[in-house]
């Protein structure tokens, strides 16, 4: 299985086999739960991009702690994810990430030490929708600090392509960046709304 997935890195003869694996829930579940197979995928940005463009594949990854831990700690894997233009394939994965503090922390740590990404923007937004433009295009991963202006009842909501990823995140007063107290992760296609008077800090990492 590892050899089949590694074939996505450029072996044209194996591409049909890779496509078959990506479209098979059973096969991708096996890959996602295999440390050897996931290592092969993570060592190839092309292979990881192929996985990230498959909803079946990314749902399998999201349902496997082995796969999630491997992906979130790999800048190569996150580079592949950032290249996905039809980000709807990443919905289940992104939802799982934002439900799990350890996963959010892992991505934040990977981004802040990455040599493949550059920290292209840091800022705080009283009107949280002002952050939407930073995720409308480009190969980006966003670290977010969801907070409030004056009351902890002020909360941030996030959607991916108009489908809700989470609602009601908060915790920090008027954050000016997302790299401190990171409590959410955004990708291309994410948009933000607020309940009451929320505040959102973001740090955007753009693939070089």
């Amino acid at each position: 299985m590892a050899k089949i997935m590694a074939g996505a890195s450029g072996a044209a003869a194996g591409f049909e086999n890779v496509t078959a694996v990506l479209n098979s829930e059973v096969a991708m579940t096996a890959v996602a739960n295999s440390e050897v197979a996931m290592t092969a995928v993570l060592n190839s940005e092309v292979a990881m991009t192929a996985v990230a463009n498959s909803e079946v594949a990314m749902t399998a990854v999201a349902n496997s702690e082995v796969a999630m831990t491997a992906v979130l700690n790999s800048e190569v894997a996150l580079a592949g994810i950032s290249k996905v233009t039809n980000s709807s394939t990443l919905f289940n994965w992104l939802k799982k990430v934002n439900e799990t503090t350890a996963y959010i922390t892992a991505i934040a740590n990977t981004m802040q030490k990455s040599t493949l990404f550059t920290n292209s923007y840091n800022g705080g937004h009283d009107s949280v929708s002002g952050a939407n433009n930073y995720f409308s295009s480009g190969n980006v991963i966003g670290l977010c600090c969801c907070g409030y202006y004056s009351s902890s009842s002020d909360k941030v909501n996030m959607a991916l392509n108009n489908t809700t990823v989470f609602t009601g995140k908060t915790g920090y007063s008027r954050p000016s960046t997302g790299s401190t107290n990171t409590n959410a992760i955004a990708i291309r296609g994410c948009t933000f709304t607020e309940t009451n008077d929320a505040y959102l800090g973001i740090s955007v990492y753009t693939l070089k």
Side-chain angles (χ1 to χ4, degrees), residues 93-139:
W93 174 83
L94 186 64
K95 186 173 177 62
K96 178 71 74 172
V97 165
N98 280 288
E99 290 172 346
T100 311
T101 300
Y103 292 163
I104 294 170
T105 300
I107 291 181
N109 290 339
T110 301
M111 287 294 95
Q112 291 182 67
K113 66 184 180 184
S114 175
T115 59
L116 298 180
F117 290 82
T118 184
N119 183 195
S120 56
Y121 175 78
N122 297 287
H125 297 264
D126 183 13
S127 175
V128 303
S129 62
N132 293 351
N133 288 339
Y134 295 94
F135 301 100
S136 61
S137 62
N139 303 328

Side-chain angles (χ1 to χ4, degrees), residues 125-200:
H125 297 264
D126 183 13
S127 175
V128 303
S129 62
N132 293 351
N133 288 339
Y134 295 94
F135 301 100
S136 61
S137 62
N139 303 328
V140 296
I141 303 286
L143 309 184
C144 306
C145 180
C146 302
Y148 55 87
Y149 186 84
S150 59
S151 168
S152 59
S153 63
D154 306 334
K155 302 179 186 297
V156 177
N157 315 303
M158 189 179 83
L160 177 64
N161 298 324
N162 299 314
T163 301
T164 299
V165 175
F166 65 76
T167 59
K169 282 204 178 191
T170 191
Y172 302 95
S173 176
R174 306 180 196 180
S176 60
T177 181
S179 58
T180 302
N181 298 318
T182 307
N183 58 9
I185 301 297
I187 59 175
R188 184 192 319 194
C190 282
T191 53
F192 301 90
T193 58
E194 58 193 306
T195 302
N196 301 322
D197 192 9
Y199 211 99
L200 177 65

